[in-house]
Amino acid sequence: MSGNGDEVTAVNFAVALRLVMPGIKLLTMNHRLGATVSLLLFSYFSIAQIPVREISATRTNATIKLDGDPIEDAWKTATLADKFTQLRPSPFTPEDQQNATKIFILYNNAGIYVGGYCYERNKDSIAAELMGRDGFGNNDFVGVIFDTYHDKLNGFEYFVTPLGEQWDAKQAPNLNGEGEDFSWNAVWQSASKLQADGWSFEMFIPYSAIRFGPKQVQNWGLNIVRRRQKSGQQLFWQSIDPNVNGFLTQEGLLKNLENIKPPVRLQFSPYFSSYLNYDGTAAGNAKKSSKSINGGMDVKYGLNQAFTLDMTLIPDFGQVQSDNRVLNLTPFEQRFTENRTFFTEGTELFNKGNLFYSRRIGGEPIHYGDATSSLAAGEYVSKNPAQSKLINATKISGRTQKGLGIGILNAITKPQYATITTTDKGTREVETDPLTNYNVLVLDQTFKYNSSVSFVNTNTMRSGTDYDANVSSVLFDLNDKSNTWNVGGSVGMSALMNKGGEDIIGYNHNLYLGKTSGRLRFNVFQELSNAKYDKSDLGYFTNNNTMDQGVWVGYNWIKPKGFYNQFRINFNGFYSRLVSPLDDLKGNDRMYQNARVNVNANMQSKKLWWAGLNMTVRAKSNDFYEPRVKGRVFENTGSVGVGAWFESNSAKKISYGGQAYLAAGGIFNYRTADVGAYGKIRFSSKFAVDLNVNTENGNNQAGWADILYASNASQKDSVIFSRRKLRSVENTLSLKYNFTNRMGVTMRTRHYWSKVMPQEFFLLTESGQLEKPSFFYDRNRNQNYNYLTVDMVYTWQFAQGSFFNIVWKDIGENFSRTFERNYFKNARGAVSGQQFNSFSLRVIYFLDYLTLKTKRAGTI
């Protein structure tokens, strides 16, 4: 495809590139390099259109028994979906007819039936491993993808394996284009059966497990995927061109679904849980043992055909997986993964704009440290909960037939108090967190050509005198008719009300432009936050007063040749500066922060091994954050790093991989060697063991060590840096044994050990240099940190959507200024030290209103 419109877009891109990349001198070292980059950027590739395949839906009134064997006569009336083609490893290659795929789709007033037969020339070619629900593992699978609004942006996915395990996902736009949300769960039925010449399956997806509009005759976007794990093949019914932007943009069509009506969607999941806890870390004479019995309920109600209300009443998240904590040497907080189901399931709308970090809800109280700072002589903190207690949470989400997505999330946490034991053995309380209401509102309007415009608002309201926060953003993401060019961005504002007696209003914007289809792709971006912008009350945020800009260029070879199946390479450059000078740092010479260039290459071999190389060059930098004092800066020199990684064929019973990264540079000419390795052994389809080991070894690193606060206002604080050694080891051992496709045991053990050994101390000067202090400094700044977790979980899905769980958790954490140099002695110390132990039982029972109504009607 070509035309004047594309030429204008290319010119606009060139102008944008010159505007947002004024500081990257590294990218324009000479005219020859600039000419080469320009030639790559403006190369244009014609993209052939793939014919859209269509099948008509077949209505049935027959009764189908879901046993994994689609032999009922009704299946013979369904339109056949066959003749799949490869996406990987050989795009557009038709499937071997001895390994053919045949899929049938039926529907009735209650839902959609999908049945199929996956032929195999050799039965031993089937990859099957029991992983539990939502676990991919080393499995063949078939997945059916419905785009019920036919907007090529949003879809529902349902997968089944040869051993009858299932998982599901929602497809929706995100910051990186399309994204699959595998935390979304629906209640549907499936069964599989191993056959002499392959395997077969049947699914039933009730209309309560999917969302669609009220049209009398509906046409849905459709694709069907099959993975043949041992051959490395991924095949689709509707061919997918890997050089074209998007997956749903290339879907086929399921036509003529007539007179289907969404049912009453009212589902309850009451739960009962019981805990026995032992907290060895409890302070002073505080009680270490405790027990509790809890009860609550999750409710899901379909407000109409498109919108669903989800509520969690008196939630209990005590059985979620433990966090991967580390010794955080950065000036920014560690970001943790969200493991609470309510805040991961069906939240794709709320993730738009990157304004919502759900761990803020029920996170650390905002006045957590006040308990210690308010102590009088002889007093001690006997209880200080590290997380606020969530009372309830509600979310409403859905999308209209005209493409308007609406999401509302609201959560309330109760006031939190620390208990202080006084000198006369009495107690008093200190409020560490007020009653707080969190709210997220999202409006997302989709348009043709996979484009959208969105509005996102987050609001945090606290009772009492604490400040409130509100953040809003308008986003746009636009694609051209050919699905080749993309432009987008956002404009946002933050408002902190009555913080320190004043209202603080901040501004943020983000702009990007790129070519998203073809073998050559590129993107240029800029993001700016002024000095008052702050989204941290309900979002994850590290720093403001920054303007970041960069460019990414990638090229791929996706047709197997010689020794490889595919080969990809990309180049990216990044430049950052302040928006406005900080106090005490006037002048443009202190506006620059950092710059880097990076090159990555990776490939898959014909034997299904993966390997990659990368190289990063960093220019000298002005670090305004490492000193931990506003207005101070640390000036560091540049560095160079190189890395490599590989992964063996994961379909083998024994698979393994590793990575290494070597870097050198900086003011002390540091040397860093980060090395990691992993291995997995599958003893059978039921039992597997994984081990992951990562190490970090750094010498002559420069980093913050201490602050000596000034004794009077006329003096300035003294910032102490150190030249230090860093050693870290992380071991993660995972075991799983599945008795059936509905019952299994998993155990995950992680031990993290990090130690920091300062070799020499320096004073940070006003100009950002390091010099030997003129005074004697002998504080112990050694750091030795251990974090040990064990999560052992027994799960039994005793009915559809109903689970019985037994969980044992052990958490040990310690920090000291002295350390044991021997790893094994140190690990024994972590095991024998103060720990938190929890043993819990939890029963969740799924109740569906329509099922109960039908059963009741049958008994009358």
Side-chain angles (χ1 to χ4, degrees), residues 229-246:
Q229 174 75 344
K230 291 184 178 180
S231 68
Q233 290 183 1
Q234 193 171 21
L235 307 107
F236 285 84
W237 169 68
Q238 171 67 56
S239 291
I240 299 294
D241 186 343
N243 285 322
V244 173
N245 175 39

Side-chain angles (χ1 to χ4, degrees), residues 607-651:
K607 293 185 177 181
L608 305 183
W609 284 53
W610 286 92
L613 297 170
N614 61 79
M615 180 176 182
T616 302
V617 178
R618 300 178 185 274
K620 70 175 185 178
S621 62
N622 291 318
D623 192 334
F624 298 95
Y625 313 105
E626 185 66 15
R628 321 292 168 100
V629 175
K630 187 176 180 179
R632 303 297 296 275
V633 63
F634 166 53
E635 188 176 286
N636 205 353
T637 57
S639 64
V640 177
V642 293
W645 60 272
F646 78 95
E647 296 177 359
S648 72
N649 184 348
S650 61

Side-chain angles (χ1 to χ4, degrees), residues 277-284 287-289 811 833-837:
N277 297 328
Y278 178 82
D279 187 0
T281 66
K287 187 178 179 180
K288 298 182 182 299
S289 298
I811 301 174
Q834 295 179 332
Q835 296 187 355
F836 174 84
N837 278 274

Side-chain angles (χ1 to χ4, degrees), residues 743-762:
M743 182 190 299
V745 176
T746 62
M747 186 181 78
R748 181 181 186 270
T749 301
R750 174 182 179 266
H751 176 231
Y752 171 85
W753 177 37
S754 184
K755 58 181 180 179
V756 178
M757 300 162 284
Q759 306 297 297
E760 196 173 7
F761 292 104
F762 296 85

Side-chain angles (χ1 to χ4, degrees), residues 704-721:
W704 175 87
D706 199 4
I707 297 177
L708 302 178
Y709 293 100
S711 58
N712 58 68
S714 62
Q715 297 177 328
K716 293 187 177 181
D717 298 334
S718 297
V719 180
I720 305 297
F721 271 58

Side-chain angles (χ1 to χ4, degrees), residues 55 64 166 184 208 287 309 341 411 583 632-633 729 775 790:
I55 59 172
I64 296 177
Q166 60 180 220
W184 177 78
S208 60
K287 187 178 179 180
L309 179 146
T341 303
D583 294 340
R632 303 297 296 275
V633 63
V729 180
F775 52 88
V790 180

Side-chain angles (χ1 to χ4, degrees), residues 564-677:
Y564 67 83
N565 282 331
Q566 58 175 284
F567 185 85
R568 300 173 187 271
I569 188 169
N570 67 72
F571 164 88
N572 60 83
F574 178 85
Y575 175 86
S576 179
R577 56 164 287 169
L578 298 179
V579 176
S580 56
L582 294 176
D583 294 340
D584 301 333
L585 293 173
K586 307 298 183 182
N588 290 329
D589 59 323
R590 289 301 189 188
M591 299 289 281
Y592 163 77
Q593 294 196 90
N594 58 74
R596 66 176 181 268
V597 292
N598 171 265
V599 178
N600 297 277
N602 64 78
M603 57 151 286
Q604 185 192 48
S605 74
K606 289 291 182 65
K607 293 185 177 181
L608 305 183
W609 284 53
W610 286 92
L613 297 170
N614 61 79
M615 180 176 182
T616 302
V617 178
R618 300 178 185 274
K620 70 175 185 178
S621 62
N622 291 318
D623 192 334
F624 298 95
Y625 313 105
E626 185 66 15
R628 321 292 168 100
V629 175
K630 187 176 180 179
R632 303 297 296 275
V633 63
F634 166 53
E635 188 176 286
N636 205 353
T637 57
S639 64
V640 177
V642 293
W645 60 272
F646 78 95
E647 296 177 359
S648 72
N649 184 348
S650 61
K652 301 293 185 181
K653 288 192 173 182
I654 299 178
S655 58
Y656 48 89
Q659 67 276 341
Y661 183 78
L662 308 176
I667 193 171
F668 296 131
N669 193 25
Y670 75 84
R671 297 288 188 273
T672 296
D674 301 339
V675 180

